[in-house]
Amino acid sequence: MSKYIKSVLFAAVLSLVCGGLLTLASTGLRDYQLKNMELDMNKNILKSVGLLEDQKSYSTAAVAQLYSDHIRKMWVDDEGKVVPEKKGGIDLPVYLFLQQENVNAYIIPIQSRGLWGKIAGYLAIKNDGATISGFTVYSHQETPGLGGEIEKKWFQKNFEGKTILDDQGDFVSVAIAKGTVKGQIPKGRQKNYVDGISGATMTGKFLSAGLKETLNKYEPLSKRFRMNEIK
Amino acid sequence: MKVTKTKAFRIFFTPIWESNPISGQILGICSALAVTVQLKTAIVMSLALTFVLACSNLLISLMRKLIPRNIRIIVELTVIATLVIFADQVLKAFLYDISKQLSIFVGLIITNCIILGRAETYALGNPPFHSLLDGIGNGLGYSQILITVGVLREFLGAGKFFGFQVIPDAFYAAGYENMGLMVLAPGAFIAIGLIVWLQKTVSKE
């Protein structure tokens, strides 16, 4: 057998064996991983409305308890009405944060483009339909230390108290500034911007666009909250 | 013959201190800077790397007579990559939070020069048992530095040990402040530099 054929054969067999083993590992561990991901998403929902503190660790049961006590998954139809079941293809998921049977805030799942991949997280808006109560990211592919800072508390904390409306009460969304808000943004608009991450202008740009697109889709719901139609 | 004089013993212990992969050979610095802000991530990273290094050395040594010379680097990388992805999947299944903190650095074990270096220079030319010992030894040598730097950075940078506050609040009230530099990468550079200095000085004697 020539040296050339031997190399090709060896490479083929090795790839097959390695590929097979990896497939086995990933299918075998899939259930555990999915469970972890679900728990992590629930944790992020709770974090966006301030029910979990960042530094503490919580048991799975504690998270499940908090979640079932305070969070209801609902759907929004195209007129902005909240319905318990998904009906049409255009209905959007929303999580309601309940306190003493009142809706304290609503949580919108965010799917945005990032620089290197998808960014997924949650944005919680208070029941006035305008003020942001929290923002979290549970999955992204951005560069650690640069765009990856979007998962850090200092960045997410800046969203708290910002609003998606301008002075006239029109929808403008919330965006990430290039640089700091104080230095770059005129006074009247500062409440619509959060501090950017230095070295990650593109991540900020994509995330701003993603937030605007998503918030725009949920605008009928936000309007109802602003007109006090949902309690 | 004393245990300390056997070849196996020497293979195992030389990389832990004398020719430590980080402080002696200055390899694998990138991950040592990135994951040592906290002790917990440093330990998990150490375990993952030691596992990959031991297994890759063993497997490559077992196949050393079969591997065609002209594609040996590709073969080594395939074996290493398989092990790394496996370790990553296990971490995602059982230590999800830590795997999120380590983010891409587990995946980057593939490019850690310690592993390919040991496969090329040792496992390809030595029998399986010695290669396994060499892998574990180098892994522990790497771990030792990572854990030392991790302890130092977490203590000086956050006043914590393994996530527990060890510097009492009274100190902070009296004006003590955490060293911000230690949380950043330069802090790790300085810490590793000091370890290299210490090691060189001690082993001269």
Side-chain angles (χ1 to χ4, degrees):
Chain A
M1 198 161 33
S2 83
K3 219 172 116 190
Y4 177 70
I5 295 176
K6 198 189 150 204
S7 298
V8 172
L9 259 181
F10 189 88
V13 172
L14 186 77
S15 320
L16 264 180
V17 172
C18 288
L21 284 176
L22 283 184
T23 317
L24 216 67
S26 96
T27 40
L29 294 170
R30 163 144 268 180
D31 284 349
Y32 295 98
Q33 292 173 357
L34 286 179
K35 224 181 265 168
N36 282 331
M37 277 177 207
E38 201 193 315
L39 179 71
D40 191 52
M41 281 164 79
N42 289 352
K43 270 189 185 166
N44 269 284
I45 291 176
L46 292 170
K47 234 181 240 171
S48 72
V49 287
L51 280 176
L52 292 187
E53 283 173 54
D54 233 15
Q55 295 301 316
K56 280 190 195 160
S57 62
Y58 294 83
S59 71
T60 313
V63 172
Q65 183 67 38
L66 273 174
Y67 188 85
S68 68
D69 282 354
H70 293 291
I71 307 290
R72 296 280 174 280
K73 186 175 186 184
M74 300 287 216
W75 297 89
V76 185
D77 66 12
D78 51 350
E79 289 166 6
K81 278 188 194 138
V82 175
V83 290
E85 292 295 324
K86 185 176 182 168
K87 280 189 211 114
I90 39 161
D91 287 1
L92 304 162
V94 68
Y95 301 85
L96 300 181
F97 170 41
L98 303 177
Q99 266 185 333
Q100 282 110 35
E101 299 308 310
N102 286 323
V103 179
N104 190 301
Y106 57 104
I107 302 151
I108 299 169
I110 304 287
Q111 299 276 347
S112 165
R113 200 187 139 185
L115 181 57
W116 303 116
K118 267 190 187 155
I119 298 172
Y122 294 102
L123 186 76
I125 301 178
K126 288 191 181 137
N127 58 7
D128 62 4
T131 317
I132 293 167
S133 91
F135 173 67
T136 63
V137 169
Y138 62 85
S139 140
H140 70 85
Q141 319 270 320
E142 306 306 294
T143 321
L146 296 172
E149 294 289 299
I150 53 169
E151 66 174 17
K152 294 285 164 64
K153 203 179 167 188
W154 73 263
F155 176 71
Q156 298 178 355
K157 223 177 152 51
N158 286 333
F159 278 85
E160 290 169 22
K162 298 286 172 179
T163 162
I164 59 170
L165 302 179
D166 65 5
D167 282 336
Q168 281 75 44
D170 294 324
F171 170 74
V172 287
S173 177
V174 62
I176 292 117
K178 195 180 166 197
T180 56
V181 171
K182 278 215 173 109
Q184 305 293 326
I185 309 295
K187 253 219 159 109
R189 296 291 311 277
Q190 288 189 358
K191 57 186 180 174
N192 305 123
Y193 283 88
V194 296
D195 286 349
I197 301 163
S198 52
T201 311
M202 293 304 278
T203 303
K205 220 169 125 187
F206 285 126
L207 186 58
S208 297
L211 284 170
K212 185 162 192 174
E213 197 194 323
T214 314
L215 283 169
N216 209 7
K217 273 196 252 169
Y218 283 85
E219 192 45 22
L221 172 72
S222 301
K223 264 190 192 136
R224 279 177 191 270
F225 269 104
R226 291 205 282 275
M227 292 190 295
N228 263 326
E229 283 176 21
I230 302 169
K231 294 284 173 201
Chain B
M1 196 160 66
K2 267 167 73 182
V3 183
T4 50
K5 292 274 163 62
T6 59
K7 193 178 175 209
F9 182 88
R10 256 187 297 121
I11 292 167
F12 184 72
F13 275 96
T14 320
I16 293 184
W17 183 248
E18 268 173 61
S19 68
N20 185 293
I22 295 185
S23 63
Q25 306 168 42
I26 320 289
L27 293 175
I29 300 281
C30 169
S31 58
L33 300 181
V35 300
T36 49
V37 179
Q38 291 167 346
L39 187 53
K40 208 157 83 180
T41 47
I43 289 178
V44 175
M45 184 69 181
S46 303
L47 288 176
L49 186 120
T50 308
F51 162 78
V52 172
L53 189 49
C55 294
S56 83
N57 258 13
L58 177 68
L59 290 174
I60 288 164
S61 170
L62 282 171
M63 295 192 297
R64 71 188 187 283
K65 290 189 180 128
L66 289 171
I67 299 175
R69 291 305 284 180
N70 51 350
I71 56 162
R72 67 179 197 286
I73 303 253
I74 302 172
V75 170
E76 285 160 17
L77 276 179
T78 313
V79 172
I80 294 167
T82 308
L83 288 165
V84 169
I85 297 171
F86 180 74
D88 192 33
Q89 296 280 336
V90 171
L91 285 180
K92 271 194 188 129
F94 299 109
L95 290 168
Y96 190 76
D97 286 340
I98 292 179
S99 108
K100 259 183 106 171
Q101 281 177 38
L102 289 172
S103 65
I104 55 164
F105 293 104
V106 176
L108 283 182
I109 295 178
I110 298 173
T111 59
N112 193 315
C113 17
I114 298 172
I115 299 186
L116 190 64
R118 291 329 287 172
E120 264 290 286
T121 54
Y122 199 88
L124 268 184
N126 287 284
F129 179 63
H130 285 164
S131 297
L132 178 68
L133 283 181
D134 179 79
I136 299 174
N138 273 289
L140 290 179
Y142 174 87
S143 310
Q144 187 235 101
I145 304 288
L146 238 67
I147 289 168
T148 315
V149 178
V151 169
L152 212 67
R153 286 181 79 187
E154 194 176 343
F155 180 73
L156 293 174
K160 291 178 181 174
F161 178 74
F162 228 107
F164 296 107
Q165 197 69 39
V166 284
I167 294 182
D169 289 338
F171 274 54
Y172 290 102
Y176 174 82
E177 270 184 45
N178 286 328
M179 214 164 133
L181 178 69
M182 273 296 156
V183 182
L184 306 170
F189 253 126
I190 293 169
I192 291 174
L194 290 175
I195 292 173
V196 172
W197 177 39
L198 177 81
Q199 198 226 354
K200 294 265 148 88
T201 322
V202 173
S203 43
K204 240 186 239 161
E205 286 159 10

